Amino acid sequence: MHAYPSPASRRCLLSAFCAAALAAAAGAPALAQGTDAFPERELTLIINYGAGGNTDVASRAIGNAMEGLLKKPVVPNNRAGAQGTLGVSSLARQKPDGYTLGVVTFSTIAITPHLMKVDYKVDDFDFIAGVARYRYGVAVRADSPYKTMADLVAASRQGKGIFFGAPSAPNNLAMYELGRKTGGRFEEINYKSGAETVAGLIGGQVDVIVQNPSDIVQHVKAGKMRLLASASPMRWKELPEVPTLREQGYDVEIDSWIGLAYPKGVPPALRDRLERVAMAAAEGPQVARIFESAGVDPAPLTGTEYRRKLVQGHESMGAAIKAANLPRMN
């Protein structure tokens, strides 16, 4: 036998049903906001390096292109410090409402956590897309006695060591890996930025540097530097006659990417919308021209693909750092 609710109970059930219906109706605009109406106001783009560097220039180019597609401002907010981890840490703490996204570079997830304590992990983010790929090269002064990579490696085996300049990983990993695999000795002088690293080379404080095209090409063309090798998997389009380290017989290469992420918990519809917008922005001709000036290449990846690259990189870079016996910073 079924027990039917009393009139009072039926009134309570009806009230609850109406409340649920009203809640669902109130949620409808939020769902629409996740697709058609979003964004209704400006977005903030946290950039994890200082103004003027290649990461900043590339990130602002993407932000500007996304702004044109979204029809709302994308406002850059540089939060530099702690080798790029300060901005990433700040992003992880933001409200996941879709209006704050940030630059999460390969090194801040795959490399730096092996070298210093950070207060975030890969699962603290919903990755939007990968947008660009860095390039690196090994350069000396134009008047250096090291005319080739073979000259440099031979000198590094003489015992006294070769001093190289680098602002952070992965730049320094190239020289440590080169020394480990050739029996050479390379001693690092750490600088705060790419510009200071270049000044250290030109000023004679170090013998060799590993930097990006935007730091090196102008000085090569001015006759102040010589590029000995691309430390990336590919040659540089600006100096295509210079082979990679691998092409010269050295089993060494470094790679790194620029990507965008949300703090964890953003509605999937918003993340998917931003993924489509970011990838379309990265493929635009104007962005490609700015990327070229900054010495990075367009490299559109879905959020899932970029996350996978970071997770794999964390494992492989951890092994490389351990093999190089790099000390932790804290």
Side-chain angles (χ1 to χ4, degrees):
M1 172 180 277
H2 295 285
Y4 291 96
S6 67
S9 298
R10 285 198 298 272
R11 285 194 296 272
C12 290
L13 289 170
L14 182 60
S15 297
F17 176 80
C18 290
L22 287 171
L31 181 60
Q33 183 187 34
T35 53
D36 299 329
F38 177 84
E40 295 183 334
R41 55 183 172 84
E42 69 179 29
L43 283 74
T44 297
L45 173 63
I46 296 175
I47 301 174
N48 63 326
Y49 289 100
N54 56 357
T55 301
D56 176 67
V57 171
S59 301
R60 286 172 183 261
I62 285 290
N64 287 338
M66 291 176 67
E67 184 173 296
L69 295 169
L70 291 168
K71 310 302 181 185
K72 284 292 188 292
V74 178
V75 181
N77 181 358
N78 293 87
R79 296 190 185 180
Q83 301 204 18
T85 65
L86 190 63
V88 177
S89 177
S90 174
L91 176 65
R93 298 192 301 269
Q94 300 301 310
K95 182 180 179 181
D97 59 3
Y99 285 93
T100 302
L101 64 154
V103 176
V104 177
T105 46
F106 178 85
S107 63
T108 56
I109 296 291
I111 297 174
T112 312
H114 296 290
L115 299 172
M116 60 186 288
K117 184 178 180 180
V118 297
D119 59 358
Y120 58 80
K121 55 188 182 301
V122 70
D123 290 335
D124 290 332
F125 306 96
D126 286 323
F127 291 95
I128 297 168
V131 294
R133 189 180 191 181
Y134 295 97
R135 280 181 279 128
Y136 300 90
V138 182
V140 296
R141 287 186 303 278
D143 61 356
S144 170
Y146 314 123
K147 307 299 182 185
T148 66
M149 283 301 305
D151 292 340
L152 184 67
V153 170
S156 73
R157 290 171 171 165
Q158 300 305 309
K160 64 177 183 178
I162 298 293
F163 287 97
F164 75 92
S168 62
N171 307 55
N172 56 2
L173 285 176
M175 301 311 296
Y176 283 122
E177 279 288 280
L178 185 65
R180 186 174 71 87
K181 293 187 175 182
T182 64
R185 180 181 174 186
F186 294 96
E187 302 285 347
E188 180 179 3
I189 303 296
N190 184 254
Y191 293 94
K192 293 181 179 179
S193 67
E196 289 187 13
T197 304
V198 168
L201 177 67
I202 293 176
Q205 298 170 5
V206 293
D207 302 300
V208 59
I209 62 174
V210 179
Q211 283 300 123
N212 309 106
S214 56
D215 298 313
I216 292 174
V217 170
Q218 60 182 318
H219 297 293
V220 171
K221 292 183 175 180
K224 296 180 180 180
M225 283 189 197
R226 182 186 306 112
L227 183 68
L228 299 184
S230 167
S232 296
M234 73 294 286
R235 294 191 183 199
W236 288 11
K237 62 185 70 176
E238 301 88 349
L239 300 166
E241 71 280 5
V242 180
T244 66
L245 285 171
R246 286 192 183 277
E247 288 174 327
Q248 297 185 57
Y250 304 103
D251 185 23
V252 175
E253 68 180 27
I254 54 175
D255 223 345
S256 190
W257 285 263
I258 301 172
L260 302 177
Y262 269 140
K264 189 72 173 180
V266 169
L270 301 193
R271 194 213 67 84
D272 292 347
R273 170 91 186 276
L274 263 289
E275 178 183 84
R276 293 191 295 272
V277 169
M279 293 186 69
E283 294 173 336
Q286 177 64 19
V287 168
R289 286 192 288 272
I290 296 173
F291 277 10
E292 184 173 357
S293 71
V296 298
D297 297 328
L301 298 169
T302 66
T304 298
E305 290 169 336
Y306 189 54
R307 185 186 189 282
R308 185 182 305 121
K309 191 170 289 293
L310 295 177
V311 171
Q312 293 172 345
H314 185 271
E315 182 177 348
S316 62
M317 289 295 98
I321 289 168
K322 184 177 181 180
N325 197 30
L326 296 187
R328 286 187 64 86
M329 302 174 197
N330 56 22

